[in-house]
Amino acid sequence: MRDISCEEITRTVRDLCIQANCHLPVDVQEAIVKAEGSERSPVGKAILGDLEENFRFADARELPICQDTGMAVVFVELGQEVHITGGLLSDAVNAGVAQGYVEGHLRCSVVGDPLRRVNTNNNTPAIIHLTLVEGDRLSITVAPKGFGSENMTALRMLKPSVGPEAVVDFIVEAVSNAGSNPCPPIVVGVGVGGTSEMATLLAKRALLRPVDQHNEDPFYADLEAKALARINALGIGPQGLGGTTTALSVCILHYGTHIAGLPCAVNIGCHVTRHASAVL
Ligand SMILES: O=C(O)C[C@H](O)C(=O)O
């Protein structure tokens, strides 16, 4: 067994919250710059230029890329040979989120109760997804999620007989319904299979894949390419003001499912699809 202290976890999560909010992943940066070159609408091109200036400015001055610094979604992969010392893992993660948002001067956007709506003033609670893995390491990914895009999440329990084209139709419909709300150019995460909650989690997890990668399975890579082409033909464009760049990428993750079902979920990331990771 290897000991990892809560103190170290808290410090790491703190730093990842600041890093993720201020430094856009390089693959997303490059995709925005590339889209600027290919965008056919002059207004769309100008907006992509503004987005580039914005993320470069944030990067250089360590300022948040967007005013919506999100709810902290934290993916933890815990090696089975790790022994957490000094408290509870979830408390350590939440303490790191609180420190990161308060000390990093990131906007605190979380209310403690969804109906009585009082801001917790430290962006907790975080959403923590824990997976047990082999080994003696602890991997942490912080993915702050803004709610302009989160509110556009769609889930449909498709009939199993509808086939792959109906999955592509549903993805395109979800993006079309979202319009300008998720701040395009977007990243489209899709979860297919499992149960309703598994499909939704896969869709969120799909937003972590680098936007310049494709599915390793040619069958799913083909569906991703078809969905992306149809989404970019919708004409929504950068910030919804028209153009040929609505999405930078479509990523589909799949899982086994029941013979009687075909759950399909879409989770959209805005042009600030952010995440930062560390391995302890
Ligand atoms: O919370 C915000 O700042 C706005 C939100 O991200 C939105 O796009 O509506």
Side-chain angles (χ1 to χ4, degrees):
M1 292 298 272
R2 179 169 159 253
D3 286 354
I4 297 181
S5 70
C6 279
E7 204 178 305
E8 191 179 357
I9 294 167
T10 295
R11 199 169 48 243
T12 302
V13 171
R14 172 203 181 276
D15 293 348
L16 290 175
C17 288
I18 296 170
Q19 191 188 327
N21 267 295
C22 302
H23 306 286
L24 194 62
V26 172
D27 57 288
V28 182
Q29 292 189 24
E30 288 177 351
I32 290 173
V33 172
K34 194 170 157 200
E36 205 182 324
S38 61
E39 173 57 55
R40 290 203 217 121
S41 148
V43 173
K45 200 183 261 300
I47 290 169
L48 290 167
D50 290 344
L51 298 182
E52 182 187 351
E53 190 184 349
N54 179 59
F55 72 65
R56 293 208 190 286
F57 191 91
D59 187 57
R61 290 167 177 74
E62 194 144 88
L63 289 168
I65 307 157
C66 178
Q67 87 289 336
D68 187 350
T69 49
M71 190 160 191
V73 180
V74 184
F75 294 92
V76 180
E77 289 189 356
L78 175 64
Q80 292 190 111
E81 289 155 49
V82 172
H83 175 224
I84 308 284
T85 64
L88 279 179
L89 173 62
S90 54
D91 288 347
V93 169
N94 275 308
V97 168
Q99 286 182 19
Y101 275 76
V102 172
E103 293 171 18
H105 306 290
L106 305 173
R107 192 187 80 182
C108 294
S109 311
V110 174
V111 295
D113 178 306
L115 295 180
R116 287 172 289 191
R117 307 198 74 81
V118 178
N119 197 307
T120 58
N121 288 325
N122 61 13
N123 226 51
T124 66
I127 305 297
I128 304 172
H129 299 296
L130 177 64
T131 312
L132 279 181
V133 296
E134 282 183 354
D136 63 358
R137 313 300 294 259
L138 178 68
S139 306
I140 305 173
T141 295
V142 174
K145 191 65 169 73
F147 262 55
S149 59
E150 186 68 4
N151 284 336
M152 299 299 113
T153 302
L155 169 70
R156 188 164 296 162
M157 304 303 280
L158 293 168
K159 294 204 167 27
S161 57
V162 293
E165 288 307 323
V167 170
V168 175
D169 288 347
F170 172 63
I171 299 168
V172 176
E173 181 191 319
V175 172
S176 176
N177 287 343
S180 64
N181 290 303
C183 293
I186 56 175
V187 178
V188 184
V190 182
V192 184
T195 50
S196 55
E197 83 279 15
M198 175 58 102
T200 310
L201 179 54
L202 288 174
K204 174 66 57 44
R205 210 180 266 279
L207 297 180
L208 301 178
R209 191 181 78 185
V211 294
D212 52 0
Q213 286 183 11
H214 307 286
N215 207 298
E216 285 175 7
D217 180 337
F219 172 78
Y220 283 100
D222 181 56
L223 295 185
E224 290 176 356
K226 281 183 178 145
L228 184 62
R230 283 181 54 187
I231 287 166
N232 283 330
L234 290 171
I236 296 169
Q239 294 298 299
L241 292 174
T244 49
T245 316
T246 298
L248 302 173
S249 168
V250 175
C251 174
I252 302 177
L253 297 182
H254 66 281
Y255 198 82
T257 191
H258 191 280
I259 51 171
L262 178 52
C264 187
V266 173
N267 192 250
I268 297 177
C270 63
H271 66 85
V272 190
T273 296
R274 337 152 246 204
H275 45 89
S277 303
V279 180
L280 303 180

